[in-house]
């Protein structure tokens, strides 16, 4: 188990053994840096994405579902900052 903040980690992880679970908290710009990992010979079996930018998260989830062979298992909005307009999205995906 480890965490890395840079975009090189997705390429390095894609070259390693298959991951059972990938937990991602991408920046507001989105999760495009993770695309090499989804295109790997052995992509993660399950993926959990937490995002502070719902529209970016939906764009990224659309890509993963339509192009990377995953099915959306659940999508939940979480209000971690009451009385603000911030909403966290938590999505769970399973490889088909």
């Amino acid at each position: 188990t480890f965490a890395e903040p840079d975009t090189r980690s997705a390429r390095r992880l894609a070259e390693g053994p298959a991951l059972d679970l990938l937990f991602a908290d991408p920046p507001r710009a989105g999760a495009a840096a993770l695309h090499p990992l989804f295109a790997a010979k052995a992509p993660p079996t399950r993926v959990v994405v937490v995002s502070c930018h719902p529209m970016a998260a939906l764009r990224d989830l659309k890509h993963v579902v339509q192009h990377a062979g995953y099915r959306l298992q659940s999508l939940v909005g979480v209000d971690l900052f009451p009385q603000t307009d911030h909403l966290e999205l938590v999505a769970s995906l399973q490889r088909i």
Side-chain angles (χ1 to χ4, degrees), residues 3-63:
E4 294 181 350
D6 65 6
T7 57
R8 292 182 308 248
S9 62
R11 282 189 226 101
R12 189 181 55 72
L13 289 171
E15 295 170 358
L19 299 173
D20 179 50
L21 174 65
L22 171 68
F23 182 86
D25 183 4
R28 287 182 178 265
L34 295 176
H35 291 178
L37 187 54
F38 295 124
K41 289 181 183 178
T45 305
R46 297 174 297 145
V47 178
V48 175
V49 178
V50 176
S51 178
C52 64
H53 194 280
M55 295 311 292
L58 293 175
R59 179 196 62 226
D60 292 335
L61 292 172
K62 179 180 176 182
H63 175 82

